[in-house]
Amino acid sequence: MAPGAGEARGELADSLTMRRRELDASGGRVGAGVTFGLLAAWALHDAEEVALVPGWAHARVPELRERFPRVPARVWRQLESVDRWEFTAAVAGVGVVVAAAAADGHRTGGRSAFYQAALNGFGLHGVVHLAQAAAVRAYTPGSVTSPLVVIPFTLWARGRLRDAGVLRPTRPGDAVRGLGLAAVATAGTHVLARRLLRKARG
């Protein structure tokens, strides 16, 4: 045996034993920073969108319509028609979904499939924002907090879930489901917000 090999093995064994004790002490669970942290990170990110999306859309859509003529006209019409009240109401609706996912994650110590799907969707949503900014070669609402908050938090939270031994195996389909959850929640709350505001306005 090479000199020091026995000592290295002993250190490795001690390290593994300590790690097992840490996992046993935590019960294979993660703390509120990981679970309810999703809601906090989402709130910071969407504050940027609430503050800037309506004004940005009205100012930039005419230019973007000319630059991207293949985009269906209804997409531009929908963007131009969004007002601040409707967008804020829709964001609040998404917030209810994110809060429910965070609460379920906390209840299960991070094991919840709903929570982990929401976390993955949140991270991928940030990647989409960066892709949008790259496509238009300019700022788009959400592209500041995506690299500063959304993506770092997602990576950190997934790391904590992995360390606790509760991170679900990631497959290509999981990414699709995560994005799908984000898309359905966003589209559904926008439709609901528009209908509710129309009724309120008579």
Side-chain angles (χ1 to χ4, degrees):
M1 182 179 295
E7 183 179 345
R9 285 186 178 181
E11 291 178 355
L12 177 59
D14 290 343
S15 177
L16 291 174
T17 299
M18 185 178 297
R19 182 62 190 143
R20 281 196 296 269
R21 288 175 180 173
E22 289 175 353
L23 289 174
D24 290 341
S26 68
R29 299 173 65 86
V30 294
V34 177
T35 54
F36 285 116
L38 172 62
L39 180 60
W42 170 86
L44 286 172
H45 172 64
D46 272 47
E48 179 189 359
E49 294 189 331
V50 168
L52 297 172
V53 162
W56 178 90
H58 294 152
R60 297 299 305 276
V61 163
E63 174 195 343
L64 294 175
R65 191 196 297 268
E66 293 182 3
R67 287 178 57 189
F68 302 97
R70 294 185 179 181
V71 175
R74 59 184 175 81
V75 173
W76 302 124
R77 286 197 299 270
Q78 288 175 350
L79 270 175
E80 288 178 317
S81 66
V82 171
D83 63 27
R84 189 171 301 279
W85 287 109
E86 177 188 326
F87 190 77
T88 301
V91 167
V94 175
V96 172
V97 176
V98 176
D104 198 44
H106 187 68
R107 179 183 63 82
T108 60
R111 291 179 173 82
S112 165
F114 178 29
Y115 161 74
Q116 293 197 23
L119 177 66
N120 293 336
F122 182 57
L124 291 170
H125 176 71
V127 174
V128 169
H129 272 300
L130 295 183
Q132 289 172 338
V136 302
R137 289 173 291 177
Y139 169 80
T140 57
S143 62
V144 169
T145 49
S146 286
L148 297 179
V149 177
V150 178
I151 296 172
F153 173 80
T154 301
L155 294 175
W156 173 78
R158 282 179 57 84
R160 295 301 299 271
L161 292 169
R162 185 181 299 107
D163 289 344
V166 298
L167 182 65
R168 293 170 176 268
T170 303
R171 295 175 292 270
D174 296 329
V176 174
R177 281 189 288 274
L179 278 175
L181 175 62
V184 169
T186 301
T189 53
H190 272 281
V191 170
L192 180 60
R194 181 166 294 186
R195 289 179 178 176
L196 290 175
L197 286 174
R198 282 177 179 174
K199 287 183 180 181
R201 292 166 178 170

